[in-house]
Amino acid sequence: MNLERLPNEEKLTLCRKYYFGNVYNVCVWGFAFLPFLWLVNVVWFFKEAFVKPTYTEQLQIKTYVKCSGLGFLLWVAVLTTWITIFQHFRAEWGEVGDYLSFTIPLGIP
Amino acid sequence: MKSHWMCSNMVRCLGDGNTSLQKLATSIVFFFCLSDVSCNSVEQKIYVELNNTVPCVRLLNATHQIGCQSSISGDTGVIHVLESEEDLEWPLSKGPNPPYMVLLESSLFTRSIMMKMKNESNRVAGVAVVVPNTSPPEFSPHTTCPNENTGVYSDNYGPNLAHCNTTVWNPRGNGLSYEEFDFPVFSLKEDNETEFIKQCYLDHNRAVNGSAPQYPLCAMQLFSHMHAVTNTPTCMRRNDINFSINPEMVCDPLGDYNVWGSIRPYNDTVFGHKENESVVIAAARLDSRAFFWEVSTGAEGSVSGFVTLLAAAQALREVTHEAPPTRNILFAFFQGETFDYIGSSRMVYDMENGKFVIDLDNIHSVLEIGQVALHSGNNLFLHSDPVSRRNNTVNDVVREELFSSFFPNVSQPLPPSSLQRFLRAQPIPGIVLADHESAFNNRYYESFYDNAANLNLTYPSDLSPEEQLEFVTHTAESLTDVATVVARALYKQAGGDESRVNTIKADPKIVTQMLYGFLVSSNNSWFQAVMAPELKNILTCVHVLGYLGLHCFVFFCLLEPSPPEYYYLLANLTGAATNLTQSQCQKPDELPNESRQMYSYLWVQGIVPPNSTERDSFCVRASVRLTKAVSPAFELGEYASKDYSTWTESRWKFIKARIFLVASRDLEMLTLGVGVAVLFTSLLVTYFISTKADVLFSSTREPASAAY
């Protein structure tokens, strides 16, 4: 979808939708894919929020993009920490590690 | 013997590694190859498959894993034929093209070389051992003190006798079978394939005048990826996890069947203690193992023992019908004794918990036949347990045995034997018969060299297989003498008529036929005559017996247990032929005098009479039964048990080996680099062209007129 052709109010609505995660009015999806939706928000609206000359809705769009960016970075930090810990210690955790795993690699501890 | 009742997963059974998808793929390729007359598969031009290889597999117990493991996509290494122990420097430190695949002659397959390679395992991709037809002077990969933690001697019971403090039973043992290697170890026979490998090495891999050998080099790739890791509790836990998409069994407990038979039959549905019943147990073990998977024959280690006991059982058949002894005699053949006494611990557990036809209190005494190969000039020795003999009643019974003139050494413990598991439960008088006074005489204990040659089983060269079957060898004669002695001792011990003891004689013909069948070729006419018809395929597929593993044959997998040869032999030798027809044999309860609870009824093929082609099949009635021989640890779910055997064997997808020529790493990187460069160049060119498209592809047409 080309943002160039949208009027500014619609851009704001879209940004807000992506921020709250209810694109196509499906809240469930938004909740699960929040970090990715937030990433999409940041990448897509970055030019609109910070590069383009000012217009009325730009302040709100800026807020949404900033919050999306922060949220995304938080998610990345949490997920990276958990993934590193799990991959490193899964073998040592023994039983707990096996019950937390979805697939267990064969032939290695 | 192979156990089939564990193979409930048909995918594993249908091909022992070849998944059905691979089979489909190979059949498609085969089809296309057939349609094109000159089929030039690129794969066949690169790789040479090695067919006669035997891998070493991974086994696990409560605390450790032993055996070998390869990576999931095989381990590749440049072949190096080792000439001496000093030559190990080349693969381990000096060679410029690591990792190496070391090819060893069997004389170099020693503990020190294997341990050195284990320590430098980042430079060793794998080991291939060439097994010759002649045996080295001695070789035993087992430990020096077999089954030291699951026997009867411990810190509470004869502490000075535990852990082989007084007698080291297997002094030649180098313990290789119980080491863990993280590279694959395969064994090759000395045949054309091995010559081809050595020739490939000489052509490509030899260093000329001290300079490094030039690429391309000859390399070998070994696949033997094992699924189970760490130890038995871990792999059993992973077997049970079932919420993943694709539940995979990673290991199986070792287990098979024990065979037992008795002079007077027992009702198979009445378990527990039997009043006023006193039983003499005659025991032998059935199994053996080797470093590599399923190549053990255990000629001296186990075959000599159970063949003797089978012959003694046959010798006692007549006299016990005419003049039955006061006590019953129970012949017990235990499976899995190599791996911490699986069979005997299960039978003792069943007796203790009222799941067997008799109780431990019903046992009068135990006579066990150990290794009785009787190499030239050796005598038979008796072993007994000094600790239990301090109990006077036990001591008296032991001294009453026939060999009252041969007193066992009172300061020496029992050798590793099933009797130790009985003693662990309660003090029972028992004797182990063996051909060694202290340490084993067997030079190849639990090794792949413990074969017919180890027993000096030689036949004159001009005999056909049928004549070899009937020929009575020296070994058979000496084992027959032992069987006679055992039978007489059992009869006396069971309180039989003293006057008839000297009429008991074992039959040398039966002994030699059994030795031929178990050590030379199991596809012979006598074995076929005593077995059931549907076992024919089993006899042709396999010729090595003894390893207690889980193996499904390539062609089919029986989901029902297939009774092993020993079961049919014991039934034929101790039972009686009846006049029942085949359908009556399968349903004997309809007849008034027959009862399936008291006897087993087996339909056997019989011999082919001289003037016809049809076999003379008949029904054998015998008081012979199979009982499950799986360690009590798996029944109880105590996978970390210290009292019972916890051995399991890992599963795997496929095992194969192949050789091919490898190019140098530099050439590979260069090829990759050139390819990536071509990719980026083409991307760049495409981008360039697309931006300047209007300039490059400008047409000479006038711009479209405004009307459009």
Side-chain angles (χ1 to χ4, degrees):
Chain A
M1 178 190 273
N2 196 348
L3 275 184
E4 308 286 327
R5 298 204 212 113
L6 281 183
N8 290 340
E9 301 85 40
E10 295 210 13
K11 282 185 209 168
L12 177 59
T13 329
L14 207 57
C15 192
R16 182 188 294 133
K17 265 196 185 165
Y18 268 79
Y19 177 67
F20 284 114
N22 46 357
V23 186
Y24 309 124
N25 293 321
V26 179
C27 289
V28 180
W29 286 16
F31 228 91
F33 296 137
L34 229 40
F36 291 104
L37 287 183
W38 285 341
L39 179 65
V40 165
N41 225 8
V42 168
V43 169
W44 209 10
F45 286 99
F46 191 76
K47 252 196 194 162
E48 291 292 322
F50 297 106
V51 174
K52 285 254 172 86
T54 327
Y55 51 91
T56 39
E57 289 85 355
Q58 199 192 37
L59 196 58
Q60 286 179 299
I61 290 185
K62 239 192 222 177
T63 343
Y64 282 135
V65 167
K66 275 192 212 159
C67 289
S68 299
L70 279 175
F72 173 69
L73 285 175
L74 188 66
W75 259 105
V76 164
V78 167
L79 277 180
T80 317
T81 325
W82 166 246
I83 289 173
T84 324
I85 293 179
F86 185 69
Q87 292 293 358
H88 203 247
F89 290 113
R90 181 187 58 83
E92 287 162 25
W93 285 345
E95 203 174 328
V96 174
D98 283 350
Y99 282 122
L100 283 175
S101 306
F102 189 60
T103 58
I104 302 177
L106 298 172
I108 58 177
Chain B
M1 189 50 195
K2 318 297 176 281
S3 106
H4 305 283
W5 55 269
M6 285 300 288
C7 294
S8 51
N9 185 349
M10 282 300 278
V11 172
R12 167 165 158 97
C13 298
L14 286 170
D16 194 38
N18 271 333
T19 60
S20 43
L21 202 57
Q22 263 185 314
K23 274 197 164 158
L24 183 66
T26 48
S27 61
I28 290 177
V29 170
F30 194 54
F31 171 71
F32 283 126
C33 279
L34 278 182
S35 55
D36 181 6
V37 170
S38 61
C39 178
N40 282 323
S41 155
V42 176
E43 193 176 0
Q44 282 169 15
K45 283 186 175 169
I46 301 176
Y47 300 108
V48 174
E49 300 279 341
L50 302 175
N51 289 326
N52 296 333
T53 54
V54 184
C56 128
V57 299
R58 174 173 274 176
L59 294 154
L60 308 102
N61 74 356
T63 47
H64 289 88
Q65 56 183 16
I66 65 173
C68 319
Q69 166 79 306
S70 82
S71 51
I72 197 161
S73 52
D75 282 314
T76 315
V78 172
I79 297 180
H80 177 74
V81 175
L82 204 69
E83 280 144 31
S84 66
E85 190 156 347
E86 290 75 32
D87 196 21
L88 256 186
E89 272 184 11
W90 181 262
L92 294 187
S93 45
K94 280 200 323 208
N97 322 108
Y100 284 92
M101 186 69 67
V102 181
L103 197 74
L104 295 175
E105 299 291 329
S106 69
S107 54
L108 292 169
F109 186 49
T110 59
R111 188 181 171 87
S112 66
I113 290 185
M114 291 299 288
M115 287 294 124
K116 280 189 195 160
M117 286 199 282
K118 179 176 163 171
N119 288 337
E120 290 283 340
S121 60
N122 53 333
R123 281 183 65 107
V124 175
V127 176
V129 179
V130 179
V131 175
N133 295 329
T134 55
S135 313
E138 62 179 35
F139 180 74
S140 170
H142 208 78
T143 49
T144 49
C145 199
N147 291 345
E148 59 181 310
N149 293 321
T150 41
V152 69
Y153 300 109
S154 63
D155 294 329
N156 300 330
Y157 189 103
N160 54 321
L161 304 168
H163 303 297
C164 293
N165 276 335
T166 39
T167 316
V168 177
W169 295 112
N170 187 26
R172 303 174 185 89
N174 56 24
L176 275 180
S177 291
Y178 288 84
E179 290 289 336
E180 183 197 338
F181 297 103
D182 57 2
F183 46 76
V185 181
F186 276 52
S187 90
L188 309 167
K189 289 207 195 59
E190 240 180 18
D191 58 3
N192 290 344
E193 272 182 3
T194 316
E195 279 310 308
F196 180 72
I197 298 174
K198 288 184 185 166
Q199 193 57 41
C200 184
Y201 166 76
L202 290 171
D203 290 340
H204 294 103
N205 292 10
R206 283 284 261 224
V208 177
N209 291 339
S211 66
Q214 293 295 317
Y215 275 99
L217 296 173
C218 199
M220 182 151 55
Q221 188 173 30
L222 300 178
F223 296 81
S224 69
H225 180 71
M226 301 286 137
H227 291 174
V229 267
T230 322
N231 54 31
T232 295
T234 309
C235 87
M236 295 302 285
R237 181 179 72 225
R238 291 189 185 177
N239 275 350
D240 288 336
I241 292 179
N242 49 13
F243 59 69
S244 68
I245 338 167
N246 185 17
E248 290 242 6
M249 294 282 287
V250 292
C251 70
D252 300 297
L254 291 183
D256 195 39
Y257 286 92
N258 291 329
V259 179
W260 68 266
S262 56
I263 304 274
R264 291 199 294 266
Y266 284 115
N267 189 337
D268 201 30
T269 51
V270 176
F271 297 137
H273 187 74
K274 294 217 160 39
E275 285 300 320
N276 298 332
E277 181 82 14
S278 179
V279 179
V280 174
I281 294 190
R285 71 182 253 204
L286 291 172
D287 68 312
S288 59
R289 71 167 296 205
F291 181 79
F292 298 104
W293 184 58
E294 283 200 352
V295 286
S296 62
T297 41
E300 185 173 344
S302 55
V303 173
S304 60
F306 74 73
V307 162
T308 309
L309 192 58
L310 284 170
Q314 192 270 337
L316 281 172
R317 173 164 69 175
E318 214 178 283
V319 72
T320 48
H321 279 308
E322 293 167 14
T326 38
R327 301 189 188 98
N328 201 356
I329 303 178
L330 191 130
F331 302 100
F333 296 87
F334 296 116
Q335 185 71 282
E337 299 299 276
T338 319
F339 291 105
D340 290 337
Y341 306 120
I342 298 178
S344 52
S345 66
R346 181 54 188 259
M347 185 172 272
V348 170
Y349 173 81
D350 286 344
M351 285 183 184
E352 280 174 323
N353 290 298
K355 295 185 190 151
F356 193 65
V357 292
I358 56 171
D359 202 350
L360 284 169
D361 297 319
N362 288 125
I363 301 180
H364 173 262
S365 53
V366 175
L367 172 66
E368 180 168 344
I369 322 288
Q371 302 178 69
V372 287
L374 278 189
H375 295 287
S376 55
N378 281 351
N379 297 320
L380 279 180
F381 297 93
L382 306 175
H383 297 264
S384 71
D385 171 39
V387 176
S388 64
R389 286 186 63 198
R390 291 182 204 141
N391 177 336
N392 281 332
T393 38
V394 173
N395 202 14
D396 292 338
V397 173
V398 168
R399 285 161 81 114
E400 277 169 19
E401 305 249 347
L402 176 67
F403 318 93
S404 50
S405 50
F406 300 99
F407 278 143
N409 188 341
V410 280
S411 61
Q412 185 168 258
L414 278 178
S417 52
S418 317
L419 175 59
Q420 290 203 17
R421 292 301 303 199
F422 285 91
L423 286 173
R424 232 172 123 113
Q426 76 187 42
I428 296 178
I431 288 266
V432 175
L433 196 67
D435 67 352
H436 52 88
E437 190 174 5
S438 56
F440 293 157
N441 287 335
N442 191 353
R443 289 171 298 158
Y444 311 110
Y445 186 62
E446 311 285 26
S447 139
F448 37 90
Y449 297 115
D450 193 5
N451 50 18
N454 190 23
L455 284 185
N456 282 335
L457 201 66
T458 49
Y459 297 91
S461 46
D462 53 347
L463 294 182
S464 70
E466 274 308 306
E467 289 167 351
Q468 279 183 359
L469 177 68
E470 309 275 325
F471 179 77
V472 179
T473 52
H474 284 303
T475 320
E477 279 172 4
S478 56
L479 284 185
T480 313
D481 291 336
V482 180
T484 306
V485 162
V486 167
R488 290 182 184 178
L490 283 172
Y491 189 65
K492 265 192 73 172
Q493 189 71 354
D497 187 1
E498 293 268 342
S499 59
R500 306 190 67 129
V501 167
N502 289 336
T503 60
I504 303 174
K505 280 197 172 53
D507 187 358
K509 195 153 155 294
I510 290 186
V511 173
T512 195
Q513 283 174 328
M514 283 198 284
L515 285 176
Y516 183 83
F518 286 113
L519 295 175
V520 180
S521 160
S522 64
N523 187 12
N524 59 63
S525 58
W526 189 61
F527 268 29
Q528 283 172 353
V530 299
M531 309 271 169
E534 53 268 16
L535 282 188
K536 261 193 297 206
N537 287 328
I538 306 270
L539 287 178
T540 52
C541 283
V542 65
H543 66 278
V544 284
L545 309 170
Y547 177 73
L548 182 69
L550 293 152
H551 176 66
C552 292
F553 303 106
V554 179
F555 308 106
F556 62 92
C557 179
L558 299 179
L559 295 176
E560 283 300 306
S562 69
E565 283 90 349
Y566 337 101
Y567 179 61
Y568 280 95
L569 280 175
L570 188 64
N572 273 284
L573 295 175
T574 56
T578 61
N579 290 335
L580 301 176
T581 63
Q582 186 166 12
S583 52
Q584 285 176 330
C585 202
Q586 279 157 359
K587 291 196 171 69
D589 292 316
E590 294 161 10
L591 297 169
N593 291 338
E594 315 284 0
S595 159
R596 184 167 266 181
Q597 290 175 344
M598 302 297 282
Y599 296 98
S600 291
Y601 293 85
L602 308 169
W603 184 256
V604 300
Q605 284 190 85
I607 54 172
V608 181
N611 290 338
S612 81
T613 49
E614 280 294 311
R615 287 190 177 270
D616 225 355
S617 304
F618 59 98
C619 187
V620 168
R621 178 186 64 213
S623 61
V624 170
R625 303 274 182 203
L626 287 174
T627 57
K628 224 153 98 156
V630 176
S631 171
F634 296 102
E635 295 290 311
L636 298 169
E638 294 170 7
Y639 303 130
S641 164
K642 289 192 175 50
D643 300 322
Y644 300 113
S645 163
T646 48
W647 286 102
T648 54
E649 184 187 67
S650 165
R651 287 206 182 184
W652 58 85
K653 282 256 160 58
F654 54 83
I655 290 188
K656 56 181 188 179
R658 56 190 186 182
I659 64 172
F660 49 93
L661 292 177
V662 277
S664 68
R665 199 99 183 109
D666 300 336
L667 183 62
E668 286 175 5
M669 288 296 121
L670 184 66
T671 316
L672 181 65
V674 166
V676 169
V678 167
L679 174 69
F680 278 119
T681 319
S682 65
L683 284 177
L684 224 65
V685 168
T686 315
Y687 175 71
F688 223 46
I689 293 179
S690 77
T691 44
K692 307 280 185 226
D694 43 351
V695 171
L696 287 171
F697 298 113
S698 62
S699 62
T700 51
R701 276 184 315 203
E702 289 302 312
S705 66
Y708 291 93

